[in-house]
Amino acid sequence: MEQDFGIVPGASGEPFKFSQPPHFHPLDVPKSRLGTRPAVVQDPRSRLIYSAATRGLVEALHKDLPDWVYGWRQRDGAIPHSSEEWSAYGRSIDEVPDGAYSLQTDITSFFSSINVETLIGTLSNAFGRNASVGLISEVLRTHDGMMSRSGLPQRSSASAFLAQVAVGPIDDEISTALRNGLVRSARRWMDDISVEGAEDELYALSQGIQAKARQAGLEINASKTHLSTHKEGLDRFRLEAIRSIRVPEVVAMRGSEYIDDEPEFAFESDPGELLALEREILESPLSVPRPVGRAVLRSLRDNFLFEQVGEWIANAHHFPHLADALSRYFAGARTFPGVSTGLEAWFPTFESSNWGRLDWVTAQYALAFAADDLPSSVLTVLRQWLAGSSNVQKIAVAIQRLSIVDPNYVRSTVSARVDQVSDPQLLRLLGLGMVAANADRITVESILNRDRRNQLTHKYLEDHKWKLPRTPIDFDHVQKTPAGAEDFG
């Protein structure tokens, strides 16, 4: 177990512990134009163990979760796919009769506000000092001990499973109101809560929810707490939950219907509603909610509506919280016949400006350029990232693209900087990039073996004859198998 996973027998009654502590690479992800969410990238070894240990406890942890709680949870002896839970969550509010009032609220900085020691105490009381609790505790304490992070690691399904337990006192308050007939219905998606009933009962319940939250060390978000008619609540709910905007199906005309070797695209009817919403966003870009902006961009891309790409580029600095959706929209526009974007000139300027200060944002925009279509101006930026950046997302984009178009640069640059790198996740990326750039096996192993937290990556490569997994199309549509990968080294 030590050789593959870095787990060793513990002391003081702990069955197992990590031979080297879990590692978290911090990054800030915009959640609005000015606000950011403190996210982390966890090293693969401890992330795998954290997930496995948590999954082993979920059945007992979630046995008392109410049916009206949705998200990452166990339900009827199984863990449903998140899309199933999301669909059921959306349907639940459609069943509410008219005439009711709606209370909607959520918890401020939910994951980062959860008291780690309280949660560990809950786990220890329920399961004792077993291996899973010990390993989960080490992950949580290591993350919580960071200067810039607290609570549970975000962007982790294991954390989401555990977070459900932290809301238990609030669930109890709502369940009591439901059982006593004081409210009609309720639902919770992680920390997003909505309840329907009489206005006075919902007011009283809101006070109880706030009190229970504070007892658990959490705080209700006053700016997102609303008591309104059900219709107003339903409109607000759908605005927050929106994923895409339904427009008539696009029909691609092929064969003899091509004109000048370019396909025409026709709509069965006018997608005016989507285009009107696009126009509204572009005319008032300073207060666009992430769910709405993301849904609009996804729908524009899926329906090949790129006529306003120039305006989106001109306003991109207003949309840091939409950079992931906007980059996919830009990627679609760059490859669509007849559309000229000018992104190759815009991107380097944006990246070096104050608007490009967030690494997550610039790394997302770099994804608009596929490996087989990299302008020289973008290549220059990617080379600078590989040579000097310490951000895992920038390094991941740069080394993947450059290993395809400029493997010589990858090999020489990595060799020159690797002795100054101590972050195990950067070392992992540099090692994988060297595999893609056809470096010799001894060099790759020397990089991965600098930190034992990369043992699992090393073993994966050995077990797969040093062939890398396929790159997700969302990251880069170009698929490349390094020459000689089957007999690498």
Side-chain angles (χ1 to χ4, degrees):
M1 192 172 290
E2 155 68 15
Q3 181 178 359
D4 294 341
F5 296 104
I7 302 175
V8 296
S12 303
E14 295 286 356
F16 293 103
K17 66 176 185 178
F18 291 97
S19 59
Q20 286 185 296
H23 182 269
F24 297 94
H25 186 102
L27 56 109
D28 295 312
V29 178
K31 59 185 299 184
S32 64
R33 181 170 182 249
L34 299 178
T36 60
R37 175 181 287 110
V40 293
V41 179
Q42 186 174 351
D43 73 275
R45 182 203 64 173
S46 70
R47 184 182 179 93
L48 176 64
I49 294 169
Y50 178 46
S51 297
T54 302
R55 284 292 185 101
L57 307 181
V58 165
E59 182 174 4
L61 280 176
H62 290 184
K63 61 182 175 63
D64 294 327
L65 274 184
D67 287 342
W68 47 266
V69 170
Y70 299 88
W72 285 262
R73 61 161 297 169
Q74 179 144 324
R75 189 186 295 277
D76 299 325
I79 297 175
H81 193 278
S82 60
S83 62
E84 297 175 22
E85 284 288 288
W86 185 261
S87 296
Y89 175 63
R91 289 194 303 270
S92 68
I93 201 167
D94 290 331
E95 299 167 358
V96 178
D98 293 334
Y101 276 78
S102 174
L103 170 67
Q104 293 171 322
T105 190
D106 72 5
I107 297 169
T108 301
S109 303
F110 177 42
F111 275 50
S112 59
S113 297
I114 291 175
N115 186 295
V116 162
E117 293 304 324
T118 299
L119 180 57
I120 291 173
T122 299
L123 297 177
S124 298
N125 290 336
F127 304 104
R129 298 169 67 84
N130 67 13
S132 293
V133 172
L135 293 168
I136 291 170
S137 300
E138 188 171 355
V139 169
L140 298 184
R141 284 176 173 143
T142 302
H143 176 267
D144 193 55
M146 298 174 68
M147 292 294 293
S148 60
R149 297 294 183 267
S150 62
L152 305 188
Q154 300 200 37
R155 306 282 173 152
S156 164
S157 60
S159 293
F161 287 131
L162 295 173
Q164 296 281 25
V165 180
V167 198
I170 296 175
D171 289 346
D172 291 343
E173 185 77 8
I174 297 172
S175 291
T176 299
L178 286 167
R179 186 168 54 252
N180 293 336
L182 302 179
V183 297
R184 295 186 183 183
S185 53
R187 71 207 47 77
R188 175 170 69 79
W189 179 277
M190 301 310 298
D191 66 316
D192 290 323
I193 301 165
S194 57
V195 189
E196 293 79 37
E199 185 178 16
D200 61 332
E201 294 291 358
L202 292 177
Y203 175 79
L205 179 61
S206 72
Q207 305 307 304
I209 289 175
Q210 290 187 63
K212 293 297 184 182
R214 286 170 181 158
Q215 289 175 18
L218 304 172
E219 190 66 36
I220 293 300
N221 190 336
S223 66
K224 290 189 175 182
T225 299
H226 305 278
L227 178 55
S228 59
T229 66
H230 175 53
K231 181 183 183 305
E232 293 170 328
L234 183 60
D235 290 342
R236 194 178 298 112
F237 178 91
R238 288 174 174 164
L239 183 66
E240 289 293 325
I242 191 170
R243 293 292 180 90
S244 63
I245 297 168
R246 294 179 63 87
V247 298
E249 182 180 359
V250 177
V251 180
M253 300 182 180
R254 302 183 181 277
S256 61
E257 296 175 345
Y258 272 50
I259 298 178
D260 297 328
D261 294 324
E262 292 186 0
E264 289 186 346
F265 293 88
F267 290 88
E268 293 180 350
S269 61
D270 181 16
E273 182 180 348
L274 173 60
L275 296 177
L277 188 50
E278 178 190 29
R279 173 49 44 202
E280 183 179 336
I281 290 173
L282 292 172
E283 290 179 353
S284 303
L286 299 183
S287 57
V288 180
R290 174 170 164 79
V292 175
R294 183 180 55 183
V296 168
L297 286 163
R298 177 178 177 178
S299 301
L300 291 171
R301 180 200 65 192
D302 290 348
N303 292 280
F304 310 104
L305 297 173
F306 301 116
E307 288 81 359
Q308 306 305 321
V309 64
E311 288 195 57
W312 283 104
I313 293 171
N315 282 287
H317 61 287
H318 292 137
F319 305 131
H321 54 308
L322 302 179
D324 52 344
L326 200 49
S327 69
R328 275 66 175 182
Y329 169 81
F330 287 160
R334 289 194 80 239
T335 59
F336 192 75
V339 175
S340 176
T341 65
L343 282 165
E344 62 277 4
W346 169 82
F347 174 71
T349 302
F350 178 91
E351 190 271 342
S352 62
S353 72
N354 283 333
W355 300 115
R357 288 176 63 88
L358 283 179
D359 292 329
W360 183 86
V361 172
T362 51
Q364 290 295 328
Y365 283 141
L367 295 179
F369 305 92
D372 63 351
D373 187 22
L374 287 175
S376 60
S377 57
V378 178
L379 273 170
T380 298
V381 173
L382 296 184
R383 288 177 178 136
Q384 291 170 349
W385 288 359
L386 182 57
S389 177
S390 295
N391 176 265
V392 292
Q393 292 184 304
K394 285 184 171 180
I395 293 295
V397 178
I399 204 164
Q400 183 272 334
R401 297 311 200 254
L402 293 173
S403 66
I404 294 175
V405 302
D406 197 354
N408 291 333
Y409 181 83
V410 169
R411 293 194 296 269
S412 63
T413 302
V414 171
S415 298
R417 73 166 296 190
V418 70
D419 287 340
Q420 284 74 50
V421 176
S422 59
D423 185 321
Q425 299 196 61
L426 290 182
L427 289 171
R428 176 176 175 269
L429 286 171
L430 295 178
L432 293 173
M434 289 290 264
V435 174
N438 300 321
D440 63 88
R441 177 173 170 176
I442 293 176
T443 298
V444 175
E445 288 182 321
S446 72
I447 295 172
L448 294 177
N449 290 339
R450 290 167 187 249
D451 195 295
R452 297 175 72 182
R453 283 167 286 202
N454 288 325
Q455 283 180 328
L456 202 58
T457 300
H458 189 180
K459 182 170 176 56
Y460 172 89
L461 291 171
E462 286 184 328
D463 289 349
H464 291 79
K465 299 181 179 180
W466 296 84
K467 288 186 64 175
L468 294 172
R470 291 177 64 85
T471 304
I473 292 176
D474 184 62
F475 190 85
D476 186 14
H477 69 77
V478 177
Q479 302 296 324
K480 172 180 178 283
T481 299
E486 286 78 7
D487 56 354
F488 187 91

